[in-house]
Amino acid sequence: MATTHLLYLHGFRSSPQSAKARLMAAHVARHHPGVQFWCPHLPPSPRAAMDLVSAGIAGWPHAHMAVVGSSLGGFYASWVAQQTGCPSVLLNPAVDPARDLARHIGDQTAWHDPAERFYFDPAFIGELRALDVRDQAATGPQLAVVAKGDELLDWREMVARYPQAQLLLLEGGDHALSDFAEHIARVAQFLQLAPASA
């Protein structure tokens, strides 16, 4: 089933300016120009972020959409896929952000624009817990791209979180998946992006 609508969700402190988001957008524009691509700038509140996403994809055909998420965006992507039944690609996905982000409560700066500041509220930890779907069976196909060299997240925990997923396990690498360009063809193949019109 060809994907005509693709959602990309960035990670904590990241933005649509992330290297992976821009590579994915460029790949879709070049090779699959008929595919609608959306990478929203997610607010710090997990509940607000998913409200934004839910409103944005409300008119999308669930049978022809897919979601890609990186780090915290991978956690969000699992929630979106659970709601829609769509395929998902998880790039070094956060497994337990309620646990891991508790130490980041307070003032934060955006990764791609240090002048942009936001406050990570203690209430956001509860919002993350409410979005956790680890105890629910996957409702759609999954591809997990996991780097053993991830310096922020434990690759073993990521692999264990997605036992039913197709797994692309990378020796070395880093949390940012700096070599994402080398793997984008595999991601695009999994997503079954609609071909360009003749």
Side-chain angles (χ1 to χ4, degrees):
M1 190 92 54
T3 294
T4 58
H5 294 66
L6 181 59
L7 172 67
Y8 186 100
L9 301 176
H10 64 74
F12 183 66
R13 295 180 57 220
S14 191
S15 77
Q17 294 304 310
S18 83
K20 294 187 296 299
R22 288 186 287 112
L23 279 169
M24 197 78 241
H27 181 90
V28 169
R30 184 178 305 116
H31 301 289
H32 309 275
V35 171
Q36 183 174 333
F37 180 85
W38 184 40
C39 178
H41 195 301
L42 300 176
S45 160
R47 181 186 295 126
M50 292 305 94
D51 285 349
L52 171 69
V53 167
S54 295
I57 65 173
W60 285 18
H62 291 180
H64 295 280
M65 67 168 281
V67 59
V68 178
S70 170
S71 192
L72 179 59
F75 174 84
Y76 288 154
S78 293
W79 182 85
V80 170
Q82 200 71 32
Q83 310 307 307
T84 62
C86 76
S88 55
V89 176
L90 303 319
L91 308 173
N92 280 340
V95 171
D96 191 351
R99 174 197 67 197
D100 297 339
L101 293 179
R103 62 180 175 272
H104 293 283
I105 289 169
D107 289 318
Q108 299 290 334
T109 57
W111 181 256
H112 299 101
D113 181 8
E116 181 185 333
R117 306 186 68 85
F118 66 92
Y119 183 74
F120 194 72
D121 194 278
F124 296 165
I125 301 302
E127 294 180 12
L128 287 168
R129 291 196 185 102
L131 295 170
D132 198 328
V133 295
R134 279 180 291 178
D135 60 345
Q136 302 175 41
T139 57
Q142 298 171 320
L143 170 65
V145 183
V146 175
K148 286 186 175 181
D150 190 316
E151 69 280 8
L152 297 180
L153 301 174
D154 186 337
W155 69 268
R156 299 170 192 83
E157 192 174 49
M158 289 186 269
V159 170
R161 162 66 181 86
Y162 295 97
Q164 69 285 357
Q166 291 185 35
L167 177 64
L168 179 55
L169 186 60
L170 310 175
E171 297 293 336
D174 56 17
H175 183 66
L177 285 179
S178 300
D179 60 350
F180 183 60
E182 298 175 23
H183 310 296
I184 199 165
R186 168 75 183 274
V187 169
Q189 179 185 33
F190 175 83
L191 292 170
Q192 297 184 328
L193 299 176
S197 301

